[in-house]
Amino acid sequence: MGEAIELMTTSADQTRRLAASVAGLLRPGDVVALAGDLGAGKTTFVQGAASALGVEGAVVSPTFTLMREYAGDIDVVHVDVYRLDRIHDVADLGFDEALERGGVVFVEWGDAIEALLPPSRLIVRLTVPEGDDLALERRLVAVECVGPAWTSRVSALRAATSEWKAA
């Protein structure tokens, strides 16, 4: 698909800082699809990015509400599609309208609705390194630039995330 950057964080705070660095490249209308196992840090990533985008206050998982919206310098829409049974349920959430409002849309479990995502997007996959316990907080973070809107930002993304480059 697109060009992927392999990164490593060693704590939830580092995952938030990494996300804040990525947020510096986000523009209104961008979509960030997050993938990873339960507890891998998807919401933690959104917290760091949302804070950098000017969202004040707590950013919490939308697992039960399915979608939360936050006002910031750039507005944030945080969607969690984990509990949806059918892809049609995403439309019922107002997902298309959220995309049209011009904020940044973060979609947890975005790989489950890939067909509904725009052709240009950032994919963030968070995984626990093999052999690690979930509680250790180390995460492999693969950031993949997909589509023309991200082609011109790959170099800037590499520079912004170089602190976390996986060995």
Side-chain angles (χ1 to χ4, degrees):
M1 277 180 91
E3 188 167 341
I5 301 168
E6 301 291 327
L7 307 165
M8 170 78 75
T9 62
T10 59
S11 67
D13 184 56
Q14 273 198 13
T15 299
R16 285 185 197 94
R17 285 186 28 241
L18 167 63
S21 293
V22 171
L25 298 170
L26 294 173
R27 302 174 184 158
D30 279 343
V31 172
V32 179
L34 297 127
D37 294 332
L38 283 170
K42 293 179 293 296
T43 297
T44 300
F45 188 93
V46 175
Q47 289 168 341
S51 178
L53 293 171
V55 172
E56 295 180 12
V59 172
V60 297
S61 174
T63 299
F64 295 103
T65 58
L66 306 178
M67 183 166 26
R68 292 183 186 269
E69 298 184 48
Y70 301 94
D73 299 329
I74 297 177
D75 292 344
V76 169
V77 178
H78 186 189
V79 182
D80 186 330
V81 299
Y82 181 74
R83 296 192 178 280
L84 298 181
D85 294 324
R86 304 170 317 205
I87 208 159
H88 178 72
D89 294 338
V90 176
D92 293 343
L93 273 180
F95 184 70
D96 289 338
E97 292 84 359
L99 293 175
E100 292 171 5
R101 280 196 284 277
V104 174
V105 178
F106 293 89
V107 184
E108 292 195 28
W109 308 97
D111 48 337
I113 63 163
E114 193 168 355
L116 298 179
L117 298 176
S120 287
R121 61 191 175 273
L122 195 64
I123 300 171
V124 178
R125 288 186 180 85
L126 297 110
T127 56
V128 176
E130 191 172 321
D132 270 17
D133 183 285
L134 191 63
L136 288 178
E137 294 189 346
R138 282 193 335 144
R139 297 296 182 265
L140 292 171
V141 184
V143 181
E144 183 178 354
C145 300
V146 177
W150 279 96
T151 302
S152 62
R153 292 186 261 177
V154 173
S155 294
L157 183 63
R158 283 190 188 286
T161 60
S162 63
E163 176 181 342
W164 298 277
K165 186 172 176 168

